[in-house]
Amino acid sequence: MTTAFPDDASSPTPPPGCPAHGHAVEPIGPGGLRRLFGPEAEADPAGLYEKLRAEHGEVAPVLLHGDLPAWLILGHGANITAMRTPSLFSRDSRRWSAFRDGDVPADSPLMPVIAWQPLCVFADGEEHRRLRGALLDGLNSFDRRGVRRHVRRFTTELVQVFGPTGHAELITQFAEHLPMLVMTQLLGMPDQYGPQLVSAARDLMKGTETAIASNEYVVASLRRTMATKRDDPGDDLVSRLLAHPAGLTDDEVMEHLRVVLLAANETTVNLIADTLKMVLTDPRFRAHLSGGQMTLGEALDQVLWDSPPMSLVAGRWATADTVLGGQQIRAGDMLLLGLAAGNLDPVVRPDPTAPLHGNRSHLSFGAGPHECPGQDIGRAVAEAGIDILLTLLPDLRLAVEEEELTWTSAWISRHLVELPVEFTPRVVEPHPDSRPVPPRPAAAPVVAESSDPVENAENAETAEQVTQPLAKPVIPAQRRGWWSRLTGLFRP
């Protein structure tokens, strides 16, 4: 989502408790409430959830960045209630009392997540049905076989790069590439955009100095694709949204495409990474998979219970005074959907070590009218990608001890940093749909920089660079380092 920020935002004053202040963040804030940010919260989010559950039950009062109050929903049943009752718990963030009272500065690190936009994710009622209906119609028209064909092509291309070496780092060389490459095909984007968008999305979500330019690159790529599809429609999501009888405006189409592209990428990257980690380290899964006693789909179900791609979702806003989980909620209060905490609710999981094969009552994709519209595609990409990877590299194994793996955490998600593996070196045959990949030049030719980032991608194609899977987009340098501090809070 695009979010408006002040023009003079090169050096904003960080909110209280923000890491940019350069001092330690205490775990307990004003009123004795626990903070959902800071080193202690991010080091052990699961431990924090259990402390809050023990102290408050299903719904706990917490503090967000800037010590703004919110309610974290910890119970599985309470989460379902909030998700399925939009009349009481709205998605319209403009209802937040902190907004109305002027307590949220324009440069708050919460803004990229909660600032209202004219999207289905922030809409209720008829407007939500209009926008989400168009998006669902577009996404549901893709068949699983077609998605798997794209997954097979790009998995093969990625393995071609590292297969002959006998070792790889599967986060940066596989998981962070596959979902975006597949999504560009479903959106009907030219092949040359794929590697560039992978780099732009990683740059945007990790909060580097060029994150603003990366967002502009994503938007420019989508607008160029929309212009092309308006004149020459195809069997793709862009064409379907442009022609949908719901009558979406160009801005509505672009913003929904951007959310689909980035959200589908981020969550599917996490799902692939965590599932690969479990397959490679958990003896229950490795033995069952090799013995044919468990499907990869069942492994995904277990991961969706234990490691949701998003730890929590912000948020819901109370439309009236009500009671949830024994807590008195006031109109305008903000509620956070605790997906990871709800999945570990002892009411539904008295034994968290018990297998949950085939059980899909987890909260990872949400529920109710705002249930994730792209969950089937996300699962299909993750399942097919891992299946094909294991087929191409059947002796894939972890290259370090499991205890050496590390995660980074932020208030809404948790990410595996690296997954180094080794295997017997293999030369993989090209996929029939793959474009020829020219040899990497000793010195990459210089690409003239244009003000149009999509034109840069086309120039790069002429220079035969875009077919390299790890190509980096040509993005102008940015001076506004404040974006790094903001987005760095969501994706360390």
Side-chain angles (χ1 to χ4, degrees):
M1 296 160 290
T2 54
T3 303
F5 292 96
D7 292 335
D8 184 19
S10 58
S11 57
T13 301
C18 175
H21 273 295
H23 61 66
V25 178
E26 296 297 327
I28 306 297
L33 300 183
R34 294 189 181 273
R35 290 179 166 126
L36 280 188
F37 59 96
E40 185 169 325
E42 293 166 7
D44 184 17
L48 174 59
Y49 300 153
E50 292 315 305
K51 288 179 183 177
L52 289 167
R53 198 192 309 275
E55 293 168 358
H56 302 284
E58 283 194 284
V59 179
V62 294
L63 295 174
L64 300 178
H65 297 279
D67 283 339
L68 293 169
W71 297 98
L72 175 60
I73 308 177
L74 302 161
H76 188 278
N79 269 289
I80 293 292
T81 298
M83 293 173 185
R84 292 180 175 172
T85 320
S87 59
L88 274 178
F89 305 104
S90 169
R91 271 301 270 131
D92 189 340
S93 63
R94 295 172 296 184
R95 295 177 177 271
W96 193 15
S97 56
F99 275 148
R100 296 199 305 267
D101 296 340
D103 295 334
V104 188
D107 60 357
S108 167
L110 302 174
M111 290 295 282
V113 175
I114 54 85
W116 182 88
Q117 290 289 308
L119 294 162
C120 66
V121 293
F122 287 109
D124 294 314
E126 186 55 39
E127 182 65 0
H128 173 257
R129 285 187 287 273
R130 179 181 76 89
L131 296 171
R132 181 181 170 88
L135 188 58
L136 278 174
D137 288 345
L139 291 173
N140 290 342
S141 59
F142 293 113
D143 68 273
R144 195 177 181 91
R145 286 188 301 173
V147 173
R148 186 178 178 89
R149 185 181 71 251
H150 295 310
V151 174
R152 181 175 292 280
R153 171 195 166 183
F154 290 116
T155 298
T156 301
E157 291 179 1
L158 292 169
V159 174
Q160 280 184 288
V161 174
F162 57 74
T165 70
H167 57 83
E169 197 289 286
L170 291 181
I171 305 300
T172 57
Q173 291 185 277
F174 182 71
E176 288 186 343
H177 290 259
L178 182 62
M180 180 65 75
L181 293 173
V182 173
M183 287 305 300
T184 58
Q185 297 299 299
L186 299 184
L187 266 63
M189 305 180 84
D191 272 1
Q192 65 264 30
Y193 288 14
Q196 305 275 5
L197 284 168
V198 167
S199 294
R202 290 166 63 187
D203 185 64
L204 174 62
M205 297 306 295
K206 291 180 179 178
T208 70
E209 293 297 317
T210 55
I212 294 174
S214 292
N215 180 65
E216 292 169 353
Y217 176 84
V218 172
V219 171
S221 301
L222 290 171
R223 289 202 182 279
R224 179 67 63 87
T225 302
M226 288 169 59
T228 300
K229 294 299 179 181
R230 186 174 287 105
D231 296 333
D232 184 21
D235 185 21
D236 54 72
L237 183 59
V238 175
S239 299
R240 291 166 190 163
L241 289 183
L242 287 170
H244 197 275
L248 274 64
T249 66
D250 282 359
D251 284 345
E252 287 174 337
V253 170
M254 193 282 296
E255 290 292 355
H256 282 85
L257 289 172
R258 193 173 83 91
V259 168
V260 166
L261 196 64
L262 295 177
N265 180 70
E266 179 73 359
T267 54
T268 310
V269 166
N270 288 346
L271 182 57
I272 291 173
D274 288 331
T275 304
L276 277 170
K277 180 263 177 187
M278 183 167 285
V279 166
L280 293 173
T281 61
D282 192 317
R284 297 173 302 168
F285 288 91
R286 193 62 174 172
H288 289 168
L289 285 170
S290 61
Q293 299 175 35
M294 175 183 290
T295 67
L296 195 52
E298 290 170 334
L300 280 166
D301 289 332
Q302 186 72 43
V303 169
L304 288 166
W305 274 101
D306 295 338
S307 304
M310 302 296 289
S311 302
L312 61 83
V313 171
R316 297 293 190 272
W317 288 270
T319 62
D321 292 354
T322 188
V323 175
L324 181 68
Q327 299 284 7
Q328 182 66 50
I329 311 297
R330 301 296 182 187
D333 281 0
M334 181 186 195
L335 299 99
L336 309 172
L337 303 178
L339 309 184
N343 280 352
L344 287 172
D345 186 345
V347 173
V348 295
R349 290 185 71 182
D351 179 5
T353 65
L356 293 161
H357 307 160
N359 186 332
R360 296 190 178 181
S361 57
H362 55 76
L363 302 175
S364 295
F365 294 128
H370 287 278
E371 185 174 0
C372 176
Q375 59 183 282
D376 291 340
I377 291 177
R379 281 188 63 107
V381 171
E383 184 172 349
I386 296 171
D387 181 38
I388 295 164
L389 177 68
L390 294 175
T391 300
L392 294 174
L393 303 174
D395 62 344
L396 194 69
R397 57 194 178 275
L398 196 62
V400 299
E401 295 297 322
E402 182 180 355
E403 293 73 21
E404 296 179 45
L405 299 177
T406 59
W407 279 261
T408 59
S409 298
W411 67 298
I412 61 173
S413 58
R414 184 170 182 258
H415 307 268
L416 183 61
V417 176
E418 291 183 334
L419 191 64
V421 294
E422 56 190 11
F423 47 87
T424 302
R426 285 180 172 80
V427 175
V428 177
E429 293 297 318
H431 188 272
D433 294 339
S434 296
R435 296 175 56 186
V437 179
R440 184 184 295 273
V446 176
V447 180
E449 192 171 288
S450 164
S451 59
D452 183 345
V454 179
E455 183 180 334
N456 287 332
E458 293 168 349
N459 290 340
E461 182 185 21
T462 303
E464 295 186 338
Q465 296 179 64
V466 295
T467 51
Q468 299 298 334
L470 302 181
K472 185 172 180 60
V474 181
I475 298 174
Q478 298 292 300
R479 66 178 181 84
R480 288 189 280 182
W482 59 270
W483 184 266
S484 152
R485 295 194 293 274
L486 298 186
T487 56
L489 296 172
F490 306 115
R491 177 73 185 266

